[in-house]
Amino acid sequence: MNFTKICVLGLGYIGLPTASTFATHGLHVVGVDINPNVVSTLQNGELHIYEPGLRTLVQAALKSGNLEICTQPEPADAFIIAVPTPFFSDRDGIHDDEAYRLADMRAVTSATEAIVPHLRKGSLVILESTSPPRTTVDLLIPILEKSGLKAGADFHLCYSPERVLPGQILRELIENARVIGGIDRPSSEAGRDLYAIFVRGEIVITDATTAEMVKLMENTYRDVNIAIANEFARLADRFGVDVWEAIGIANRHPRVKILRPGPGVGGHCISVDPWFFVEAAPDLARLIHTARQVNDAQPHFVISLVERAVGALAGHHVAALGLAFKPDVDDLRESPATEIIHELQNAGAHVKAYEPFKPDADLPGVTAIPTLEGALSESDVLLFLVGHTNFKQLDPVKVAALTPARIVVDTVSVCDPAAWEAAGFRLFRLGVGKSNQ
Ligand code: SAJ
């Protein structure tokens, strides 16, 4: 199939790089977002999100004249839906049971509805948003067929998951293997023809529901692996072992690859997607459910570690170092650090947070300080919550000169114990039992 004009619905971390990459590869792209602030920001050549290299790419796409930014879709050869699929939070009042979450498919539903008036015979529709199994077949087909056209017979439909890693999106978009799951073979082939415009990785064709499941399996596998690392950290803590050393040794086995323990699993993918399995089949997804609970409880484990270091938390001044959901990104969404800070404050501690990738971070209930010096100056305990490279590079002797604190709680293994202890700090490390501290 040949494409000249496509419409990308949703201009976030996935839709914007995808739209811009198609535009720089010669397609006429209409990028659509329902948020007028996002649209006007982009129309002015500015960005509402940060991803390395994205600003240059978007500006090149706009300059080429191939990328238009709009609030409404237009008729096109292909429509790509890349809108968020979070789960309903307790605040939505839809669900208040921590043990069970429901996918919020409202954005996918309304984006699909917005395509209906523009659908033509021969059009291709692709869903990229991470979705519960069977979404393409059970949710999208009935909506799209309101156009009077029949899925398969009149238009093509695929599920093609985004699988790019935040921080490396632009490279992975092009180089990763791409999964295309069509509702029938001609749909898969149309999807393959579209992504072949820029994808250099292998393009793997399957059916829509398999593609949906593949995406969920990838992130669930990672979540379960991190859960076991977190559980190993707790076990090591009890048995007087250093989990970081133990994992390092275990991973020398040729068939073992344990991930890293930490303060919890954040972001908007790994901590969300496994719930789609739990929601769809709670009777079957039991290990997946338990892994989610283990990871969700990890911030609380961090609190107990801080308590062990300082005793009762009330009145202590904590410098919380790192607010991002993972190392070397500025994305604060669903960050375990925020939850830990709130829990510390609820226990009466005073917390000043510092995030080097977003010095002007503005989070409800969090006092973010724009400089490391400012966060450290009046604290009596330093709490490392993100494994940023620049935290690993901190010189403990220089840090000691900036703070009266002599207690350090390291949840991400950024501190070299010998160096920090030599600089006069008492170090408490997540996953390291007493006899190893
Ligand atoms: N984390 C650990 N220990 C680890 C690795 C990660 O605690 O060993 C934590 C991180 O600190 C973070 C969370 O897990 O809080 C998730 O980070 P991540 O780097 O594992 O993943 P994401 O959410 O940035 O991106 C994932 C990727 N999926 C996989 O690697 C299977 C990415 O390829 C997906 O495209 C993305 O989810 C997505 O959009 O679904």
mmCIF file with all atom_site columns, all heavy atoms in Angstrom, residues 195-214:
data_model
loop_
_atom_site.group_PDB
_atom_site.id
_atom_site.type_symbol
_atom_site.label_atom_id
_atom_site.label_alt_id
_atom_site.label_comp_id
_atom_site.label_asym_id
_atom_site.label_entity_id
_atom_site.label_seq_id
_atom_site.pdbx_PDB_ins_code
_atom_site.Cartn_x
_atom_site.Cartn_y
_atom_site.Cartn_z
_atom_site.occupancy
_atom_site.B_iso_or_equiv
_atom_site.pdbx_formal_charge
_atom_site.auth_seq_id
_atom_site.auth_comp_id
_atom_site.auth_asym_id
_atom_site.auth_atom_id
_atom_site.pdbx_PDB_model_num
ATOM 1   N N   . TYR A 1 195 ? 5.090  1.200   8.321  1.00 0.00 ? 195 TYR A N   1
ATOM 2   C CA  . TYR A 1 195 ? 6.240  1.352   9.226  1.00 0.00 ? 195 TYR A CA  1
ATOM 3   C C   . TYR A 1 195 ? 7.568  1.125   8.500  1.00 0.00 ? 195 TYR A C   1
ATOM 4   O O   . TYR A 1 195 ? 8.603  1.624   8.936  1.00 0.00 ? 195 TYR A O   1
ATOM 5   C CB  . TYR A 1 195 ? 6.103  0.444   10.450 1.00 0.00 ? 195 TYR A CB  1
ATOM 6   C CG  . TYR A 1 195 ? 5.047  0.941   11.397 1.00 0.00 ? 195 TYR A CG  1
ATOM 7   C CD1 . TYR A 1 195 ? 3.784  0.366   11.444 1.00 0.00 ? 195 TYR A CD1 1
ATOM 8   C CD2 . TYR A 1 195 ? 5.298  2.034   12.229 1.00 0.00 ? 195 TYR A CD2 1
ATOM 9   C CE1 . TYR A 1 195 ? 2.802  0.839   12.299 1.00 0.00 ? 195 TYR A CE1 1
ATOM 10  C CE2 . TYR A 1 195 ? 4.327  2.523   13.086 1.00 0.00 ? 195 TYR A CE2 1
ATOM 11  C CZ  . TYR A 1 195 ? 3.079  1.925   13.116 1.00 0.00 ? 195 TYR A CZ  1
ATOM 12  O OH  . TYR A 1 195 ? 2.113  2.409   13.957 1.00 0.00 ? 195 TYR A OH  1
ATOM 13  N N   . ALA A 1 196 ? 7.513  0.357   7.384  1.00 0.00 ? 196 ALA A N   1
ATOM 14  C CA  . ALA A 1 196 ? 8.757  0.116   6.632  1.00 0.00 ? 196 ALA A CA  1
ATOM 15  C C   . ALA A 1 196 ? 9.341  1.429   6.109  1.00 0.00 ? 196 ALA A C   1
ATOM 16  O O   . ALA A 1 196 ? 10.508 1.484   5.729  1.00 0.00 ? 196 ALA A O   1
ATOM 17  C CB  . ALA A 1 196 ? 8.496  -0.845  5.478  1.00 0.00 ? 196 ALA A CB  1
ATOM 18  N N   . ILE A 1 197 ? 8.534  2.504   6.137  1.00 0.00 ? 197 ILE A N   1
ATOM 19  C CA  . ILE A 1 197 ? 9.037  3.806   5.686  1.00 0.00 ? 197 ILE A CA  1
ATOM 20  C C   . ILE A 1 197 ? 10.238 4.240   6.534  1.00 0.00 ? 197 ILE A C   1
ATOM 21  O O   . ILE A 1 197 ? 11.177 4.823   6.023  1.00 0.00 ? 197 ILE A O   1
ATOM 22  C CB  . ILE A 1 197 ? 7.897  4.859   5.690  1.00 0.00 ? 197 ILE A CB  1
ATOM 23  C CG1 . ILE A 1 197 ? 6.905  4.525   4.580  1.00 0.00 ? 197 ILE A CG1 1
ATOM 24  C CG2 . ILE A 1 197 ? 8.434  6.279   5.569  1.00 0.00 ? 197 ILE A CG2 1
ATOM 25  C CD1 . ILE A 1 197 ? 5.634  5.349   4.580  1.00 0.00 ? 197 ILE A CD1 1
ATOM 26  N N   . PHE A 1 198 ? 10.205 3.950   7.857  1.00 0.00 ? 198 PHE A N   1
ATOM 27  C CA  . PHE A 1 198 ? 11.390 4.347   8.653  1.00 0.00 ? 198 PHE A CA  1
ATOM 28  C C   . PHE A 1 198 ? 11.971 3.251   9.532  1.00 0.00 ? 198 PHE A C   1
ATOM 29  O O   . PHE A 1 198 ? 13.104 3.394   10.011 1.00 0.00 ? 198 PHE A O   1
ATOM 30  C CB  . PHE A 1 198 ? 11.098 5.610   9.489  1.00 0.00 ? 198 PHE A CB  1
ATOM 31  C CG  . PHE A 1 198 ? 10.107 5.423   10.608 1.00 0.00 ? 198 PHE A CG  1
ATOM 32  C CD1 . PHE A 1 198 ? 10.437 4.722   11.751 1.00 0.00 ? 198 PHE A CD1 1
ATOM 33  C CD2 . PHE A 1 198 ? 8.837  5.997   10.526 1.00 0.00 ? 198 PHE A CD2 1
ATOM 34  C CE1 . PHE A 1 198 ? 9.534  4.585   12.797 1.00 0.00 ? 198 PHE A CE1 1
ATOM 35  C CE2 . PHE A 1 198 ? 7.922  5.860   11.552 1.00 0.00 ? 198 PHE A CE2 1
ATOM 36  C CZ  . PHE A 1 198 ? 8.276  5.153   12.696 1.00 0.00 ? 198 PHE A CZ  1
ATOM 37  N N   . VAL A 1 199 ? 11.254 2.175   9.783  1.00 0.00 ? 199 VAL A N   1
ATOM 38  C CA  . VAL A 1 199 ? 11.770 1.151   10.710 1.00 0.00 ? 199 VAL A CA  1
ATOM 39  C C   . VAL A 1 199 ? 12.906 0.374   10.042 1.00 0.00 ? 199 VAL A C   1
ATOM 40  O O   . VAL A 1 199 ? 12.748 -0.133  8.926  1.00 0.00 ? 199 VAL A O   1
ATOM 41  C CB  . VAL A 1 199 ? 10.633 0.196   11.147 1.00 0.00 ? 199 VAL A CB  1
ATOM 42  C CG1 . VAL A 1 199 ? 11.205 -1.013  11.897 1.00 0.00 ? 199 VAL A CG1 1
ATOM 43  C CG2 . VAL A 1 199 ? 9.628  0.935   12.032 1.00 0.00 ? 199 VAL A CG2 1
ATOM 44  N N   . ARG A 1 200 ? 14.036 0.287   10.740 1.00 0.00 ? 200 ARG A N   1
ATOM 45  C CA  . ARG A 1 200 ? 15.159 -0.493  10.211 1.00 0.00 ? 200 ARG A CA  1
ATOM 46  C C   . ARG A 1 200 ? 15.263 -1.855  10.906 1.00 0.00 ? 200 ARG A C   1
ATOM 47  O O   . ARG A 1 200 ? 15.942 -2.747  10.425 1.00 0.00 ? 200 ARG A O   1
ATOM 48  C CB  . ARG A 1 200 ? 16.472 0.284   10.374 1.00 0.00 ? 200 ARG A CB  1
ATOM 49  C CG  . ARG A 1 200 ? 16.562 1.458   9.401  1.00 0.00 ? 200 ARG A CG  1
ATOM 50  C CD  . ARG A 1 200 ? 18.010 1.801   9.079  1.00 0.00 ? 200 ARG A CD  1
ATOM 51  N NE  . ARG A 1 200 ? 18.697 2.315   10.251 1.00 0.00 ? 200 ARG A NE  1
ATOM 52  C CZ  . ARG A 1 200 ? 18.794 3.596   10.567 1.00 0.00 ? 200 ARG A CZ  1
ATOM 53  N NH1 . ARG A 1 200 ? 18.265 4.512   9.773  1.00 0.00 ? 200 ARG A NH1 1
ATOM 54  N NH2 . ARG A 1 200 ? 19.431 3.978   11.645 1.00 0.00 ? 200 ARG A NH2 1
ATOM 55  N N   . GLY A 1 201 ? 14.588 -1.992  12.081 1.00 0.00 ? 201 GLY A N   1
ATOM 56  C CA  . GLY A 1 201 ? 14.558 -3.292  12.757 1.00 0.00 ? 201 GLY A CA  1
ATOM 57  C C   . GLY A 1 201 ? 13.648 -4.244  11.993 1.00 0.00 ? 201 GLY A C   1
ATOM 58  O O   . GLY A 1 201 ? 12.988 -3.854  11.022 1.00 0.00 ? 201 GLY A O   1
ATOM 59  N N   . GLU A 1 202 ? 13.624 -5.491  12.471 1.00 0.00 ? 202 GLU A N   1
ATOM 60  C CA  . GLU A 1 202 ? 12.779 -6.496  11.811 1.00 0.00 ? 202 GLU A CA  1
ATOM 61  C C   . GLU A 1 202 ? 11.299 -6.130  11.989 1.00 0.00 ? 202 GLU A C   1
ATOM 62  O O   . GLU A 1 202 ? 10.911 -5.644  13.052 1.00 0.00 ? 202 GLU A O   1
ATOM 63  C CB  . GLU A 1 202 ? 13.060 -7.844  12.476 1.00 0.00 ? 202 GLU A CB  1
ATOM 64  C CG  . GLU A 1 202 ? 12.449 -9.010  11.759 1.00 0.00 ? 202 GLU A CG  1
ATOM 65  C CD  . GLU A 1 202 ? 12.591 -10.313 12.569 1.00 0.00 ? 202 GLU A CD  1
ATOM 66  O OE1 . GLU A 1 202 ? 13.235 -10.295 13.637 1.00 0.00 ? 202 GLU A OE1 1
ATOM 67  O OE2 . GLU A 1 202 ? 12.048 -11.318 12.117 1.00 0.00 ? 202 GLU A OE2 1
ATOM 68  N N   . ILE A 1 203 ? 10.482 -6.351  10.984 1.00 0.00 ? 203 ILE A N   1
ATOM 69  C CA  . ILE A 1 203 ? 9.034  -6.127  11.120 1.00 0.00 ? 203 ILE A CA  1
ATOM 70  C C   . ILE A 1 203 ? 8.381  -7.502  11.204 1.00 0.00 ? 203 ILE A C   1
ATOM 71  O O   . ILE A 1 203 ? 8.493  -8.314  10.284 1.00 0.00 ? 203 ILE A O   1
ATOM 72  C CB  . ILE A 1 203 ? 8.481  -5.299  9.948  1.00 0.00 ? 203 ILE A CB  1
ATOM 73  C CG1 . ILE A 1 203 ? 9.145  -3.908  9.959  1.00 0.00 ? 203 ILE A CG1 1
ATOM 74  C CG2 . ILE A 1 203 ? 6.963  -5.178  10.044 1.00 0.00 ? 203 ILE A CG2 1
ATOM 75  C CD1 . ILE A 1 203 ? 8.593  -2.918  8.955  1.00 0.00 ? 203 ILE A CD1 1
ATOM 76  N N   . VAL A 1 204 ? 7.759  -7.758  12.352 1.00 0.00 ? 204 VAL A N   1
ATOM 77  C CA  . VAL A 1 204 ? 7.208  -9.088  12.614 1.00 0.00 ? 204 VAL A CA  1
ATOM 78  C C   . VAL A 1 204 ? 5.688  -9.013  12.501 1.00 0.00 ? 204 VAL A C   1
ATOM 79  O O   . VAL A 1 204 ? 5.052  -8.205  13.175 1.00 0.00 ? 204 VAL A O   1
ATOM 80  C CB  . VAL A 1 204 ? 7.576  -9.566  14.039 1.00 0.00 ? 204 VAL A CB  1
ATOM 81  C CG1 . VAL A 1 204 ? 7.160  -11.010 14.242 1.00 0.00 ? 204 VAL A CG1 1
ATOM 82  C CG2 . VAL A 1 204 ? 9.053  -9.388  14.297 1.00 0.00 ? 204 VAL A CG2 1
ATOM 83  N N   . ILE A 1 205 ? 5.133  -9.866  11.678 1.00 0.00 ? 205 ILE A N   1
ATOM 84  C CA  . ILE A 1 205 ? 3.686  -9.833  11.452 1.00 0.00 ? 205 ILE A CA  1
ATOM 85  C C   . ILE A 1 205 ? 2.990  -10.928 12.254 1.00 0.00 ? 205 ILE A C   1
ATOM 86  O O   . ILE A 1 205 ? 3.446  -12.070 12.309 1.00 0.00 ? 205 ILE A O   1
ATOM 87  C CB  . ILE A 1 205 ? 3.412  -9.964  9.939  1.00 0.00 ? 205 ILE A CB  1
ATOM 88  C CG1 . ILE A 1 205 ? 3.753  -8.626  9.291  1.00 0.00 ? 205 ILE A CG1 1
ATOM 89  C CG2 . ILE A 1 205 ? 1.978  -10.371 9.657  1.00 0.00 ? 205 ILE A CG2 1
ATOM 90  C CD1 . ILE A 1 205 ? 3.417  -8.538  7.833  1.00 0.00 ? 205 ILE A CD1 1
ATOM 91  N N   . THR A 1 206 ? 1.900  -10.534 12.915 1.00 0.00 ? 206 THR A N   1
ATOM 92  C CA  . THR A 1 206 ? 1.093  -11.507 13.647 1.00 0.00 ? 206 THR A CA  1
ATOM 93  C C   . THR A 1 206 ? -0.357 -10.999 13.639 1.00 0.00 ? 206 THR A C   1
ATOM 94  O O   . THR A 1 206 ? -0.683 -10.080 12.894 1.00 0.00 ? 206 THR A O   1
ATOM 95  C CB  . THR A 1 206 ? 1.662  -11.705 15.078 1.00 0.00 ? 206 THR A CB  1
ATOM 96  O OG1 . THR A 1 206 ? 0.866  -12.685 15.746 1.00 0.00 ? 206 THR A OG1 1
ATOM 97  C CG2 . THR A 1 206 ? 1.643  -10.429 15.890 1.00 0.00 ? 206 THR A CG2 1
ATOM 98  N N   . ASP A 1 207 ? -1.213 -11.597 14.487 1.00 0.00 ? 207 ASP A N   1
ATOM 99  C CA  . ASP A 1 207 ? -2.592 -11.089 14.539 1.00 0.00 ? 207 ASP A CA  1
ATOM 100 C C   . ASP A 1 207 ? -2.722 -10.049 15.655 1.00 0.00 ? 207 ASP A C   1
ATOM 101 O O   . ASP A 1 207 ? -1.840 -9.924  16.508 1.00 0.00 ? 207 ASP A O   1
ATOM 102 C CB  . ASP A 1 207 ? -3.587 -12.238 14.733 1.00 0.00 ? 207 ASP A CB  1
ATOM 103 C CG  . ASP A 1 207 ? -3.399 -12.918 16.066 1.00 0.00 ? 207 ASP A CG  1
ATOM 104 O OD1 . ASP A 1 207 ? -3.922 -12.408 17.071 1.00 0.00 ? 207 ASP A OD1 1
ATOM 105 O OD2 . ASP A 1 207 ? -2.691 -13.953 16.107 1.00 0.00 ? 207 ASP A OD2 1
ATOM 106 N N   . ALA A 1 208 ? -3.828 -9.316  15.647 1.00 0.00 ? 208 ALA A N   1
ATOM 107 C CA  . ALA A 1 208 ? -3.977 -8.157  16.538 1.00 0.00 ? 208 ALA A CA  1
ATOM 108 C C   . ALA A 1 208 ? -3.918 -8.551  18.010 1.00 0.00 ? 208 ALA A C   1
ATOM 109 O O   . ALA A 1 208 ? -3.229 -7.905  18.810 1.00 0.00 ? 208 ALA A O   1
ATOM 110 C CB  . ALA A 1 208 ? -5.290 -7.443  16.229 1.00 0.00 ? 208 ALA A CB  1
ATOM 111 N N   . THR A 1 209 ? -4.598 -9.622  18.396 1.00 0.00 ? 209 THR A N   1
ATOM 112 C CA  . THR A 1 209 ? -4.652 -9.965  19.820 1.00 0.00 ? 209 THR A CA  1
ATOM 113 C C   . THR A 1 209 ? -3.295 -10.489 20.301 1.00 0.00 ? 209 THR A C   1
ATOM 114 O O   . THR A 1 209 ? -2.879 -10.213 21.432 1.00 0.00 ? 209 THR A O   1
ATOM 115 C CB  . THR A 1 209 ? -5.793 -10.967 20.089 1.00 0.00 ? 209 THR A CB  1
ATOM 116 O OG1 . THR A 1 209 ? -6.994 -10.426 19.521 1.00 0.00 ? 209 THR A OG1 1
ATOM 117 C CG2 . THR A 1 209 ? -6.017 -11.175 21.572 1.00 0.00 ? 209 THR A CG2 1
ATOM 118 N N   . THR A 1 210 ? -2.593 -11.214 19.438 1.00 0.00 ? 210 THR A N   1
ATOM 119 C CA  . THR A 1 210 ? -1.242 -11.660 19.823 1.00 0.00 ? 210 THR A CA  1
ATOM 120 C C   . THR A 1 210 ? -0.348 -10.440 20.039 1.00 0.00 ? 210 THR A C   1
ATOM 121 O O   . THR A 1 210 ? 0.408  -10.381 21.024 1.00 0.00 ? 210 THR A O   1
ATOM 122 C CB  . THR A 1 210 ? -0.633 -12.573 18.728 1.00 0.00 ? 210 THR A CB  1
ATOM 123 O OG1 . THR A 1 210 ? -1.500 -13.678 18.534 1.00 0.00 ? 210 THR A OG1 1
ATOM 124 C CG2 . THR A 1 210 ? 0.742  -13.079 19.123 1.00 0.00 ? 210 THR A CG2 1
ATOM 125 N N   . ALA A 1 211 ? -0.453 -9.474  19.147 1.00 0.00 ? 211 ALA A N   1
ATOM 126 C CA  . ALA A 1 211 ? 0.393  -8.271  19.290 1.00 0.00 ? 211 ALA A CA  1
ATOM 127 C C   . ALA A 1 211 ? 0.076  -7.544  20.597 1.00 0.00 ? 211 ALA A C   1
ATOM 128 O O   . ALA A 1 211 ? 0.983  -7.059  21.287 1.00 0.00 ? 211 ALA A O   1
ATOM 129 C CB  . ALA A 1 211 ? 0.189  -7.348  18.092 1.00 0.00 ? 211 ALA A CB  1
ATOM 130 N N   . GLU A 1 212 ? -1.204 -7.473  20.947 1.00 0.00 ? 212 GLU A N   1
ATOM 131 C CA  . GLU A 1 212 ? -1.572 -6.831  22.223 1.00 0.00 ? 212 GLU A CA  1
ATOM 132 C C   . GLU A 1 212 ? -0.959 -7.591  23.390 1.00 0.00 ? 212 GLU A C   1
ATOM 133 O O   . GLU A 1 212 ? -0.433 -7.008  24.343 1.00 0.00 ? 212 GLU A O   1
ATOM 134 C CB  . GLU A 1 212 ? -3.101 -6.824  22.379 1.00 0.00 ? 212 GLU A CB  1
ATOM 135 C CG  . GLU A 1 212 ? -3.804 -5.878  21.420 1.00 0.00 ? 212 GLU A CG  1
ATOM 136 C CD  . GLU A 1 212 ? -5.304 -6.156  21.294 1.00 0.00 ? 212 GLU A CD  1
ATOM 137 O OE1 . GLU A 1 212 ? -5.787 -7.207  21.788 1.00 0.00 ? 212 GLU A OE1 1
ATOM 138 O OE2 . GLU A 1 212 ? -6.002 -5.330  20.696 1.00 0.00 ? 212 GLU A OE2 1
ATOM 139 N N   . MET A 1 213 ? -1.025 -8.917  23.296 1.00 0.00 ? 213 MET A N   1
ATOM 140 C CA  . MET A 1 213 ? -0.522 -9.721  24.406 1.00 0.00 ? 213 MET A CA  1
ATOM 141 C C   . MET A 1 213 ? 1.003  -9.639  24.491 1.00 0.00 ? 213 MET A C   1
ATOM 142 O O   . MET A 1 213 ? 1.566  -9.569  25.584 1.00 0.00 ? 213 MET A O   1
ATOM 143 C CB  . MET A 1 213 ? -0.991 -11.162 24.218 1.00 0.00 ? 213 MET A CB  1
ATOM 144 C CG  . MET A 1 213 ? -0.813 -11.943 25.473 1.00 0.00 ? 213 MET A CG  1
ATOM 145 S SD  . MET A 1 213 ? -1.968 -13.252 25.683 1.00 0.00 ? 213 MET A SD  1
ATOM 146 C CE  . MET A 1 213 ? -1.014 -14.202 26.881 1.00 0.00 ? 213 MET A CE  1
ATOM 147 N N   . VAL A 1 214 ? 1.663  -9.609  23.338 1.00 0.00 ? 214 VAL A N   1
ATOM 148 C CA  . VAL A 1 214 ? 3.138  -9.501  23.323 1.00 0.00 ? 214 VAL A CA  1
ATOM 149 C C   . VAL A 1 214 ? 3.568  -8.257  24.109 1.00 0.00 ? 214 VAL A C   1
ATOM 150 O O   . VAL A 1 214 ? 4.454  -8.314  24.965 1.00 0.00 ? 214 VAL A O   1
ATOM 151 C CB  . VAL A 1 214 ? 3.657  -9.432  21.875 1.00 0.00 ? 214 VAL A CB  1
ATOM 152 C CG1 . VAL A 1 214 ? 5.102  -8.946  21.819 1.00 0.00 ? 214 VAL A CG1 1
ATOM 153 C CG2 . VAL A 1 214 ? 3.527  -10.789 21.203 1.00 0.00 ? 214 VAL A CG2 1
#
